């Protein structure tokens, strides 16, 4: 009887290790995916000051949108926010930036600027990369969240104090519309 009990205990231990490792793998996938998104978000963040400074020359009455983009960018680049807070802020930046790009349509002299056209092209390219990275991140988050909520890994996740992760929720129809407009202007 003792060998049977020892075998059962070893089997349970092996199963526990398997599910524990799978959960760690999924958590690391989310972190890796977020790092990829973070790199692209930094590229976009680096483009924003150039776009804002160029647009300020032409757009005097759009100051509130420019201030909002800058404020959100500073908050998103803060090291004191969690990944979930960063996801929410970046979604707000996307919406505000989309609104800003649409407002630029009213300024033909700005749209004709070579520097502005290059910024538009760069921003479109970064947004496409960001879209792909967000899909990868959201897929990793979905797998991780499933593991955190499903049995038997739910017990291990609870023991490790793993919390659900927030996926990116961008307004894809607005982004696609803006990308189409940007591409027609190029």
């Amino acid at each position: 009887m003792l060998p049977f009990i020892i075998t059962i205990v070893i089997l349970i231990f092996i199963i526990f290790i398997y599910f524990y490792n799978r959960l760690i793998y999924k958590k690391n996938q989310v972190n890796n995916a977020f790092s990829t998104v973070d790199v692209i978000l930094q590229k976009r963040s680096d483009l924003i000051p150039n776009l804002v400074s160029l647009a300020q020359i032409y757009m005097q009455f759009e100051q509130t949108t420019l201030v909002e983009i800058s404020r959100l960018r500073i908050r998103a680049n803060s090291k004191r926010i969690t990944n979930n807070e960063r996801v929410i802020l970046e979604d707000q930046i996307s919406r505000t930036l989309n609104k800003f790009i649409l407002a630029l349509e009213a300024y033909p002299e700005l749209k004709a600027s070579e520097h502005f056209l290059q910024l538009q092209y760069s921003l479109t390219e970064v947004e496409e990369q960001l879209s792909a990275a967000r899909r990868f991140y959201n897929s990793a988050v979905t797998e991780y969240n499933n593991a955190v909520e499903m049995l038997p890994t739910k017990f291990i996740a609870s023991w490790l104090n793993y919390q659900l992760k927030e996926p990116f929720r961008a307004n894809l129809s607005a982004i696609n519309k803006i990308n189409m407009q940007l591409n027609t202007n190029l």
Side-chain angles (χ1 to χ4, degrees):
M1 187 70 164
L2 186 60
F4 179 72
I5 292 173
I6 291 173
T7 304
I8 294 297
V9 168
I10 290 173
L11 185 61
I12 289 172
F13 181 72
I14 290 171
I15 290 171
F16 173 81
I17 294 295
Y18 171 78
F19 285 119
Y20 175 84
N21 288 340
R22 291 297 298 160
L23 195 56
I24 296 296
Y25 172 80
K26 290 180 186 306
K27 179 187 70 97
N28 290 338
Q29 282 293 97
V30 169
N31 291 339
N32 179 41
F34 189 82
S35 294
T36 302
V37 171
D38 193 41
V39 167
I40 298 168
L41 289 172
Q42 188 59 49
K43 283 167 98 175
R44 180 177 74 177
S45 184
D46 292 343
L47 286 174
I48 289 173
N50 295 336
L51 188 62
V52 168
S53 64
L54 182 64
Q56 282 177 329
I57 297 168
Y58 295 95
M59 302 171 62
Q60 294 304 315
F61 72 91
E62 294 291 340
Q63 292 300 316
T64 57
T65 304
L66 296 172
V67 168
E68 179 68 8
I69 289 171
S70 297
R71 183 186 67 78
L72 289 170
R73 179 181 170 266
I74 290 168
R75 283 184 56 205
N77 288 335
S78 169
K79 300 296 181 203
R80 293 179 279 178
I81 62 173
T82 66
N83 286 355
N84 281 350
E85 291 169 332
R86 176 86 185 269
V87 166
I88 292 166
L89 281 171
E90 291 297 344
D91 284 344
Q92 289 175 343
I93 288 173
S94 290
R95 286 191 300 276
T96 307
L97 198 54
N98 290 338
K99 184 172 79 172
F100 177 69
I101 297 289
L102 286 174
L104 295 178
E105 291 294 314
Y107 298 90
E109 63 277 357
L110 177 61
K111 291 187 331 187
S113 163
E114 183 67 33
H115 187 60
F116 179 72
L117 291 175
Q118 181 59 38
L119 280 172
Q120 271 189 317
Y121 176 76
S122 297
L123 189 59
T124 300
E125 185 178 314
V126 167
E127 288 296 330
E128 288 172 3
Q129 293 171 358
L130 186 56
S131 178
R134 282 179 170 164
R135 283 191 304 275
F136 175 61
Y137 174 77
N138 284 348
S139 175
V141 165
T142 299
E143 286 185 33
Y144 168 83
N145 286 346
N146 286 342
V148 167
E149 292 184 309
M150 297 171 101
L151 294 176
T153 52
K154 180 176 184 156
F155 299 119
I156 299 169
S158 176
W159 175 63
L160 293 172
N161 200 26
Y162 282 3
Q163 303 296 316
L164 294 175
K165 302 284 185 180
E166 187 72 29
F168 278 100
R169 286 183 173 77
N171 184 349
L172 294 178
S173 63
I175 290 171
N176 290 337
K177 181 178 178 183
I178 287 174
N179 282 339
M180 285 182 4
Q181 288 177 340
L182 290 176
N183 289 333
T184 59
N185 290 336
L186 296 177

